[in-house]
Each structure stands twice: as structure tokens, then as C-alpha cells.
């Protein structure tokens, strides 16, 4: 198989897998006569998405902007804290156990507290998206800095480099692949946080729409909301992957996809 054929096949594989899954779902619903209230057929879900596109778009945009704000906050905070933890063993020893303990708390338990503090609306969704998505960024950035080879540190010191220069000229580039790997995870977690907040006690967003549809036993609209979340998540994941390819091209040498 030639290189262009391999690249074309790699591009097509996700779409082929998705089409196969949806086809199997459709056939299973038909063959086993699954009630629509339990699992509507994909064709029915797509029909609902087309018929109610305006409603879905409005609620999706509300979820999207709260997710993006929370994700942007997570990037800024995660970068700063990750740099501090990775650069200083004292900061690592002091803060890392606290981060582990905080990350172990179920985020669904935080949402009611946030609603007591800041009320119902977009702000709890933003904070939940931030809280649930910053931890992978911190861990990966700190790992990237902490795994600088001792030989590289020795060479830089022998050349007269300060600790700050080692951090900025070696550590930061070294941590870039780790950072983008964490961003692709965190952006999907940010959606989880926003939708979780909207579902538990929100009054807007796609999570609220799904909750309302579920209360009416409107399974096609509920699943249309799930599909919409998946589409937004995949789009932002692809955007992060594209930026990663552009900024860390050196890390992908020898791979098939350019």
C-alpha cells in the first residue's frame, strides 16, 4: 500500500468505524423492535436534529461558550501550577498531595455547593468545567518538566545556563507534547463539567435541554443532545490536535500522517 493510500485510509477509518456503529445500532433497533423511549434509531435521532436544529443550536452554543471559558481558565491555571510544581520539588511536595485529594472528590458533589455560592446559571457551569479539566494539564506539564534528562541539565549548567534558562529553553519545549496530550483530554472533560452542572441544577445549555426532554420521555431529543455534545467534543479535540501538529511537528517525525 502506497503512502497516499495509507494516509487516505487513516483519514477514512474514523468515519468508517462511526458509520459501522450507527448501522449496527439501526439494525439492532429494527431487528429486536426496541421501543423508541429506550433507544431511538439513529435515523430518528438525525431526523430530530434536523427538525429541531434551531433549538439544539441555541442550547449547544450556551454550553459551548461556558465550556470554552472554563477550558481557557484551566489552561492558564494548569500551565502556571504545572510549571511551579515541575520546577520546584518543594512546591511539588507541598501541593501535589492536595491536588490528588481535590481531584478525588466527585465533581457532582461540588455543583450543589457552587449553586449555593454563585446561584443558578452559566457561572456554575464555567467553574465546574474549569475544576474538572485543569488537573490533567497540571500533571502533564509537571511531568514534562520533571523528566528533563539529568545529562541535559548538566550540559546546560556547564554552558553557564541558570535554572530559569534551563526551565524556559529546555523544560518548556520538553513539556509541549505533554501539554497538548493533556489538552485533548481536558477539552472533553470540560464538556463533561458543563453538562453535569446544567443537568444537576442549571437553567440553560444542552444538559438542561436533555433533562427537560427526559422528563417528557422524549428520547429522540435526549439522544440528539448527546450526539450534539459528541460532535462539539470531537470538533474541539480535532482543533487541539491540529494546533499540536503545528506547534510540535518535531515530535511526530516518522509518522504517516503529516
Amino acid at each position: 500500500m502506497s503512502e497516499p493510500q495509507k494516509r487516505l485510509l487513516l483519514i477514512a477509518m474514523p468515519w468508517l468505524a462511526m458509520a459501522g456503529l450507527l448501522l449496527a445500532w439501526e439494525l439492532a433497533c429494527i431487528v429486536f423492535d426496541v421501543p423508541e423511549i429506550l433507544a431511538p434509531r439513529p435515523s430518528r435521532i438525525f431526523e430530530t436534529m434536523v427538525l429541531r436544529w434551531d433549538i439544539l443550536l441555541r442550547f449547544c452554543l450556551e454550553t459551548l461558550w461556558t465550556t470554552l471559558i472554563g477550558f481557557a481558565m484551566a489552561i492558564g491555571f494548569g500551565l502556571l501550577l504545572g510549571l511551579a510544581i515541575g520546577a520546584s520539588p518543594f512546591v511539588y511536595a507541598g501541593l501535589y498531595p492536595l491536588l490528588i485529594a481535590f481531584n478525588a472528590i466527585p465533581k457532582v458533589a461540588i455543583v450543589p455547593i457552587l449553586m449555593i455560592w454563585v446561584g443558578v446559571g452559566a457561572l456554575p457551569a464555567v467553574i465546574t468545567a474549569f475544576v474538572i479539566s485543569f488537573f490533567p494539564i497540571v500533571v502533564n506539564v509537571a511531568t514534562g518538566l520533571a523528566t528533563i534528562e539529568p545529562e541535559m541539565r548538566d550540559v546546560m549548567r556547564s554552558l553557564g545556563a541558570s535554572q530559569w534558562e534551563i526551565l524556559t529553553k529546555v523544560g518548556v519545549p520538553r513539556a509541549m507534547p505533554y501539554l497538548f496530550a493533556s489538552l485533548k483530554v481536558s477539552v472533553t472533560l470540560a464538556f463533561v463539567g458543563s453538562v453535569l452542572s446544567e443537568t444537576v441544577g442549571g437553567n440553560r445549555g444542552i444538559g438542561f435541554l436533555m433533562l427537560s426532554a427526559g422528563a417528557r420521555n422524549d428520547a429522540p431529543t435526549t439522544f440528539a443532545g448527546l450526539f450534539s455534545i459528541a460532535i462539539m467534543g470531537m470538533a474541539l479535540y480535532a482543533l487541539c490536535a491540529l494546533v499540536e501538529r503545528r506547534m510540535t511537528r518535531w515530535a511526530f517525525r516518522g509518522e504517516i500522517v503529516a
Side-chain angles (χ1 to χ4, degrees), residues 84-100 142:
I85 291 176
S88 172
F90 300 102
V91 178
Y92 177 92
L95 292 184
Y96 205 77
L98 296 178
L99 289 173
I100 295 295

Side-chain angles (χ1 to χ4, degrees), residues 73-247:
M73 292 168 55
I75 293 174
F77 181 76
L79 271 174
L80 293 176
L81 191 57
L83 289 171
I85 291 176
S88 172
F90 300 102
V91 178
Y92 177 92
L95 292 184
Y96 205 77
L98 296 178
L99 289 173
I100 295 295
F102 180 77
N103 191 60
I105 299 174
K107 302 306 178 286
V108 68
I110 298 177
V111 177
I113 299 175
L114 290 176
M115 291 180 177
I116 294 174
W117 289 349
V118 300
V120 177
L123 189 55
V126 171
I127 297 175
T128 308
F130 160 72
V131 166
I132 204 172
S133 62
F134 83 88
F135 184 77
I137 300 174
V138 174
V139 171
N140 279 270
V141 171
T143 301
L145 293 177
T147 54
I148 300 175
E149 294 81 357
E151 295 81 3
M152 180 64 74
R153 294 180 183 271
D154 294 338
V155 170
M156 293 294 291
R157 290 195 186 98
S158 67
L159 295 174
S162 63
Q163 183 64 28
W164 174 253
E165 289 174 326
I166 295 175
L167 177 66
T168 56
K169 298 183 182 300
V170 177
V172 172
R174 178 77 170 76
M176 290 295 286
Y178 292 86
L179 169 64
F180 282 104
S182 67
L183 293 184
K184 291 186 288 187
V185 174
S186 295
V187 72
T188 56
L189 291 177
F191 271 109
V192 172
S194 293
V195 176
L196 175 65
S197 177
E198 294 164 355
T199 304
V200 171
N203 57 3
R204 58 195 303 171
I206 198 69
F208 176 71
L209 176 65
M210 292 168 57
L211 185 66
S212 302
R216 301 191 306 271
N217 292 327
D218 186 357
T221 300
T222 303
F223 277 83
L226 288 176
F227 277 35
S228 301
I229 296 169
I231 292 170
M232 291 189 294
M234 288 190 297
L236 289 183
Y237 181 97
L239 179 60
C240 290
L242 178 62
V243 176
E244 177 186 23
R245 293 279 175 175
R246 295 295 181 267
M247 296 190 65

Side-chain angles (χ1 to χ4, degrees), residues 47-64:
E47 179 186 355
T48 302
M49 294 178 72
V50 171
L51 293 176
R52 302 182 179 177
W53 69 269
D54 53 340
I55 298 175
L56 285 169
L57 180 62
R58 176 163 56 87
F59 282 91
C60 283
L61 289 177
E62 291 174 349
T63 298
L64 180 62

Side-chain angles (χ1 to χ4, degrees), residues 14-37:
W15 300 101
L16 293 175
M18 189 182 307
L21 176 62
L22 293 175
L23 180 60
W25 182 350
E26 184 84 18
L27 292 176
C29 290
I30 295 174
V31 171
F32 296 104
D33 194 21
V34 180
E36 185 176 273
I37 193 174

